[in-house]
Amino acid sequence: MEHDEILSWLRETDEARLAELWRRADATRQLHVGGEVHLRGLVELSNHCVRLCAYCGLRAPNTSVTRYRMTADEVLRCARLAESLGYGTVVLQSGEDPGITRDGMADLIRRIKAETPLAVTLSLGERSEDELACWRAAGADRYLLRFETSNRALYDRLHPPRPGTVSDRIALLRRIRALGYEVGSGVMIGIPGQTYEDLAADIAMFARLDLDMIGVGPYLPHPETPLGAAQRPADDDQVPNSELMTYKVIALARLVCPRANIPSTTALATLNPRDGRELGLVRGANVVMPNLTPPKYRVHYEIYPNKVCLRETAEGCSSCLHARIIALGRTVGTGRGDSPNRRGRREPVGS
């Protein structure tokens, strides 16, 4: 798909035309990854972060957040729960926390792999090549690191680097792939300063990186951040952080990366608790990420405010999602749900 076609779809407002986009994305999803919806159990194991990202409620200067770091045993209990609920993957996510050490995380990964059949996805921020190689050797399967925007000037405004370092997430994603991980990335939709041209370039970047996983969601402002306290640009070229724009990006991501695993995210469900996840799933997505984080910690993992299901039990969330998936006429996935990109570029499902 060429840049101009992507840009045209992002600006499209005609409902009949958009219905054709949804149809194409859903058909592409069915052809390449099938009808299963895979459940990835999310564990937010730490909300400590050393970064100063301008949009994130976990940013280091935010003194209003109650910080926590789960123990290895607590994380392992969540992994065992994921297995008991039939999930194929556990996703270990945190702020960029130096308290999560190379050896400590490697030991945790080895324990999960020894005691469960789960795939392990890590989302721990920008880490050194030594750490990433160690965790891959310990058994980690996938790494998720959003590049957030391909506009370098905008990226630098959003993500001040750590002192003495340069932040280049595109280059880091390529190194992560070279280490043998499945590679996941994505962007925020409607971050202040993001233009339609920027977002079209982001979607083209998904294809150039040949991503195995693509996570996109709307920018949701947090009041304790520089962006959250600022007024949004009154500019016709500013991308809206809307539900509709999120569906467009999910659909276009599916069309440019047909074999990728694409979640219908919690941020989308926060915008539309009634059926946001379902609409994402019928417009290109094939993954949902139920939260396994104990509620006493979950309420403090506040990248953005007012997340859905903050106090829902893991069992209740699982039951709800199963019912929603079945109501769509889809099936709940079994097994690890690896990306077809990692299965030797095998032929599309049903071919």
Side-chain angles (χ1 to χ4, degrees), residues 91-325:
V91 181
L92 307 183
Q93 183 179 80
S94 74
E96 204 161 298
D97 179 6
I100 297 174
T101 65
R102 184 195 71 171
D103 294 342
M105 178 53 64
D107 287 343
L108 176 58
I109 294 164
R110 282 190 287 265
R111 290 178 69 186
I112 292 172
K113 301 299 279 190
E115 298 185 30
T116 78
L118 299 172
V120 174
T121 298
L122 303 179
S123 182
L124 307 176
E126 297 175 39
R127 307 294 297 223
S128 72
E129 191 151 355
D130 175 60
E131 290 169 316
L132 293 165
C134 177
W135 298 338
R136 176 67 183 136
D141 300 280
R142 307 169 187 147
Y143 204 94
L144 175 60
L145 180 71
R146 289 189 179 189
F147 63 81
E148 304 297 13
T149 174
S150 56
N151 177 328
R152 185 70 214 194
L154 179 58
Y155 179 86
D156 288 342
R157 292 202 299 273
L158 300 176
H159 295 270
R162 288 168 294 177
T165 69
V166 175
S167 179
D168 187 343
R169 291 194 173 187
I170 301 298
L172 183 54
L173 287 165
R174 292 186 169 121
R175 293 199 295 274
I176 290 168
R177 181 180 293 285
L179 289 170
Y181 287 94
E182 279 192 27
V183 178
S185 195
V187 298
M188 284 180 296
I189 299 162
I191 193 78
Q194 181 187 57
T195 68
Y196 284 88
E197 289 278 352
D198 293 334
L199 188 53
D202 293 341
I203 293 166
M205 180 63 74
F206 298 162
R208 285 203 295 279
L209 291 170
D210 194 21
L211 294 173
D212 302 305
M213 305 172 284
I214 301 172
V216 300
Y219 162 67
L220 299 176
H222 191 293
E224 299 297 329
T225 64
L227 281 187
Q231 186 172 359
R232 285 182 63 80
D235 185 342
D236 288 342
D237 208 31
Q238 166 67 50
V239 173
N241 57 333
S242 65
E243 183 183 353
L244 177 61
M245 188 59 67
T246 304
Y247 297 137
K248 290 181 186 180
V249 177
I250 288 173
L252 292 166
R254 174 58 65 200
L255 294 176
V256 302
C257 291
R259 298 181 182 89
N261 283 317
I262 302 177
S264 191
T265 62
T266 301
L268 182 53
T270 297
L271 281 184
N272 178 358
R274 185 173 63 88
D275 59 2
R277 280 196 184 99
E278 287 90 331
L279 288 170
L281 288 171
V282 300
R283 294 172 178 178
N286 70 315
V287 169
V288 291
M289 295 177 64
N291 201 324
L292 296 169
T293 311
K296 67 178 180 178
Y297 297 131
R298 194 185 310 170
V299 294
H300 301 303
Y301 199 84
E302 194 176 276
I303 295 174
Y304 55 85
N306 303 315
K307 282 196 293 187
V308 294
C309 306
L310 276 180
R311 300 190 182 277
E312 179 73 87
T313 66
E315 294 83 355
C317 184
S318 176
S319 176
C320 175
L321 288 174
H322 273 72
R324 287 172 179 245
I325 291 165

Side-chain angles (χ1 to χ4, degrees), residues 66-87:
T66 300
R67 303 289 177 173
Y68 72 87
R69 187 180 294 120
M70 292 173 63
T71 68
D73 285 343
E74 287 176 318
V75 176
L76 193 60
R77 283 196 291 273
C78 291
R80 293 193 192 106
L81 178 58
E83 181 187 6
S84 73
L85 293 171
Y87 304 164

